[in-house]
Amino acid sequence: MKDRLEKIVQGALSQIESSEQLDKLNEIKIAYLGKKGELTSVLKSMKDVAAEDRPKVGQMVNDARAAIEKEMEKKKAFFERKLREEKIKSETIDVTLPGNVRRMGHKHPNSIALDDVENIFIGMGYQVIEGPEVEYDYYNFEALNIPANHPAKDEQDTFYITEDIVLRTQTSSVQVHEMEKGNLPIRMIAPGRVFRSDEVDATHSPSFNQIEGLVIDESATFADLKGTLAEFAKKMFGEATKVRFRPHHFPFTEPSAEMDVSCFKCGGSGCRFCKGEGWIEILGCGMVHPRVLEMRDIDSEKYQGFAFGIGLERIALLKYEIDDMRLLYENDVRFLEQF
Ligand code: DAH
């Protein structure tokens, strides 16, 4: 019996020794230790062993089993180590390979233009304020001295949500909110989206952006308005930029004006860009109408103010020489990548 066991152990060990794969080990395990394995068959034949010898023989079988299992574990660990080493070798990283190129986002031309405008006015001591896009008729019209029968209120231009709630048609509504807070003096700009029921074309869109400006204090004059906006134009379009003011009418300012800048493409001599005019209109402005101040309980004898409204898209189109406003809304990446 002892010899038989020894032979089995020897056979198993030499097979383990010469095995070259993890799979092979499994086969050996089944062949020796499995249900129908060699060692198991020895155990089965225990009934033929004399009762007093059984513990001894049992012990020998157990030892044989332990010896085989031990060698198997060793070999298994060896294979696993080898596999791991091969894996590590095949996975080495070549640090000299070029990295994956990540696509960078781009700022929209509107955002770049708005950043520029904001920075210029912040530099002059203005606060940047925001107001609601959905607005009471009162803030969008009434409080800005635009009475009920005014053509600007024509349903063609305004999106009505209810009879007295609209999508704001102008950021001038933020003037009213700011005056209502009652903190004077005021020196603010209010950028934001506005809405008008216009057909889409190269110069119109039902939703576009404006930047409102409002200054109220005891000594604000039309000269301050001109100086401020002339400075803005120079910073925005270049030091050589000249400005001119043409009389205009807005219900909430008196007097009112539109401001043109000298064409920064031809310098004023006239070109395709300025349609031969030498000047390009960029904003509306004026001295805040006393009625607008009085409606907010601001003493119009003591306080004066000026206001202005800039079309953001117009500035972006001019600055980047884009000739169709629709390009600003389509967000075609090939277009946006240029900025
Ligand atoms: N709200 C005017 C518009 O949408 C623009 C404007 C003109 C704003 C003159 C002003 C201003 O503050 O003083 O056409």
Side-chain angles (χ1 to χ4, degrees):
M1 177 60 90
K2 200 176 168 201
D3 287 353
R4 192 177 159 200
L5 278 173
E6 248 164 34
K7 252 174 123 176
I8 291 174
V9 172
Q10 284 311 321
L13 294 191
S14 79
Q15 279 200 39
I16 292 170
E17 166 78 36
S18 60
S19 66
E20 277 164 7
Q21 278 178 357
L22 206 55
D23 286 355
K24 186 78 193 158
L25 274 187
N26 253 337
E27 280 171 28
I28 300 169
K29 189 172 180 181
I30 292 168
Y32 285 91
L33 311 177
K35 264 191 193 153
K36 291 178 182 158
E38 289 200 38
L39 211 57
T40 319
S41 67
V42 175
L43 274 179
K44 278 182 189 155
S45 63
M46 283 285 269
K47 56 183 183 306
D48 307 328
V49 174
E52 66 267 30
D53 292 337
R54 276 185 201 160
K56 220 171 130 205
V57 174
Q59 184 61 44
M60 285 191 322
V61 173
N62 280 345
D63 289 349
R65 188 184 181 91
I68 295 172
E69 277 178 345
K70 196 175 153 203
E71 275 312 296
M72 263 190 175
E73 281 309 311
K74 262 208 221 150
K75 191 79 183 197
K76 198 173 155 205
F78 166 78
F79 282 138
E80 281 170 353
R81 204 176 333 115
K82 207 166 117 195
L83 267 179
R84 204 163 46 237
E85 276 165 12
E86 275 165 13
K87 198 168 167 220
I88 289 171
K89 235 187 228 156
S90 69
E91 281 180 356
T92 46
I93 296 164
D94 181 352
V95 291
T96 64
L97 283 175
N100 295 335
V101 179
R102 284 189 200 279
R103 277 172 77 101
M104 291 284 280
H106 290 257
K107 268 202 174 164
H108 191 280
N110 267 357
S111 304
I112 305 173
L114 178 58
D115 284 351
D116 289 349
V117 174
E118 284 188 356
N119 284 335
I120 293 168
F121 282 103
I122 288 169
M124 293 197 267
Y126 286 62
Q127 266 186 296
V128 181
I129 307 282
E130 279 186 22
E133 292 175 358
V134 180
E135 195 53 281
Y136 285 109
D137 175 291
Y138 179 79
Y139 288 90
N140 195 79
F141 296 119
E142 290 282 328
L144 288 162
N145 199 28
I146 302 173
N149 55 359
H150 195 281
K153 290 190 66 174
D154 201 315
E155 265 169 285
Q156 271 178 21
D157 299 322
T158 308
F159 287 113
Y160 281 89
I161 289 179
T162 65
E163 213 171 292
D164 63 342
I165 296 177
V166 301
L167 294 184
R168 69 177 174 194
T169 61
Q170 49 185 0
T171 46
S172 304
S173 54
V174 187
Q175 287 190 28
V176 183
H177 287 288
E178 194 56 19
M179 286 188 271
E180 210 171 48
K181 288 183 193 162
N183 303 324
L184 297 176
I186 293 171
R187 192 175 287 251
M188 66 133 212
I189 55 167
R193 194 184 269 265
V194 300
F195 306 86
R196 292 182 197 178
S197 59
D198 278 330
E199 294 289 334
V200 177
D201 66 23
T203 54
H204 291 87
S205 161
S207 161
F208 55 102
N209 291 273
Q210 291 186 329
I211 303 152
E212 193 74 16
L214 175 68
V215 171
I216 295 179
D217 74 22
E218 291 182 29
S219 58
T221 66
F222 201 90
D224 295 324
L225 165 65
K226 288 176 76 175
T228 302
L229 294 178
E231 185 61 21
F232 161 68
K234 280 189 182 158
K235 292 236 167 75
M236 196 72 203
F237 300 109
E239 275 303 310
T241 309
K242 292 193 281 291
V243 296
R244 77 174 182 189
F245 292 82
R246 287 175 289 101
H248 201 78
H249 172 264
F250 296 105
F252 36 88
T253 45
E254 182 61 35
S256 305
E258 279 186 333
M259 186 179 92
D260 302 337
V261 292
S262 55
C263 177
F264 35 85
K265 192 92 177 148
C266 64
S269 55
C271 66
R272 191 188 67 90
F273 202 61
C274 56
K275 300 192 179 79
E277 294 282 321
W279 296 94
I280 299 169
E281 181 219 317
I282 65 157
L283 56 82
C285 59
M287 299 305 291
V288 179
H289 198 294
R291 266 186 60 83
V292 173
L293 295 176
E294 296 295 345
M295 276 189 271
R296 298 274 68 74
D297 294 328
I298 296 172
D299 182 354
S300 64
E301 294 292 323
K302 189 171 169 206
Y303 284 97
Q304 308 197 64
F306 63 80
F308 51 89
I310 307 169
L312 178 63
E313 280 80 354
R314 188 158 174 74
I315 301 272
L317 295 179
L318 288 173
K319 205 167 156 96
Y320 298 112
E321 299 180 25
I322 303 164
D323 54 16
D324 192 326
M325 191 157 146
R326 284 168 287 200
L327 287 166
L328 293 178
Y329 303 120
E330 281 162 3
N331 289 331
D332 183 327
V333 174
R334 290 166 301 179
F335 168 75
L336 295 177
E337 268 174 352
Q338 300 172 62
F339 301 94

